[in-house]
Amino acid sequence: MACHSSRQVLGRWGTGGKGALTWGAPCCAYVFQSVVVPRCRGTAEALQITVGHILGDAGSPYLTGLISSVLRARRPDSYLQRFLSLQQSFLCCAFVIALGGGCFLLTALYLERDEARAWQPGTG
C-alpha cells in the first residue's frame, strides 16, 4: 500500500466531485428531450441552462455571501463569529440541494404522463 500525500488525495476527491456534478446533466437533458414538443426543445433546453447557471453558478456565491453578511450583522464582530456565520451560510447550500433533489424526484411522478402527452399527434 503506497503512501499518498494530502494533495494527491484532495485531487482525487476533487475530480470525483466534478464528475458527480455532471451526472445530473444527462438526466435533465433527457427530461427536456422527452417531455417538450419537438418544435420547442431548443428553447426549453436553452432556458433551463440559462436559469440553472444564473441560480447556480453565478448566483450562489452572491447569495452565500449575503446570508453570511446577514448572520454576521446580528452577532458581535470577532473572527469566530465571522467563521460561524460563513459556516452556517454554507450549510444552507445542503438544504437547497435537498430541496432541489426532492423537486427532481417529484417530477419523476409525472414524467411518463408528460412524455406521452408530448408525443401525441397534433402537439408539435
Side-chain angles (χ1 to χ4, degrees):
M1 190 150 139
C3 273
H4 297 289
S5 71
S6 60
R7 190 175 284 179
Q8 289 173 330
V9 172
L10 288 175
R12 288 183 184 156
W13 276 102
T15 304
K18 290 176 205 169
L21 287 174
T22 60
W23 291 342
C27 296
C28 289
Y30 169 75
V31 168
F32 277 111
Q33 294 299 317
S34 64
V35 301
V36 177
V37 294
R39 69 170 192 261
C40 297
R41 285 184 183 158
T43 305
E45 188 71 26
L47 186 62
Q48 187 272 332
I49 289 170
T50 302
V51 170
H53 284 295
I54 288 172
L55 295 177
D57 305 353
S60 63
Y62 173 75
L63 290 174
T64 303
L66 184 67
I67 292 169
S68 176
S69 296
V70 167
L71 292 174
R72 192 178 337 147
R74 298 178 182 174
R75 298 176 175 172
D77 191 27
S78 69
Y79 288 114
L80 177 63
Q81 296 304 324
R82 288 180 186 178
F83 170 76
L84 291 175
S85 65
L86 188 59
Q87 182 185 37
Q88 290 172 353
S89 67
F90 279 126
L91 287 175
C92 291
C93 295
F95 292 110
V96 171
I97 289 170
L99 180 67
C103 290
F104 198 75
L105 290 174
L106 184 65
T107 61
L109 297 174
Y110 302 100
L111 181 63
E112 289 180 359
R113 182 193 67 183
D114 291 344
E115 186 175 357
R117 255 192 225 166
W119 288 100
Q120 286 177 351
T123 58

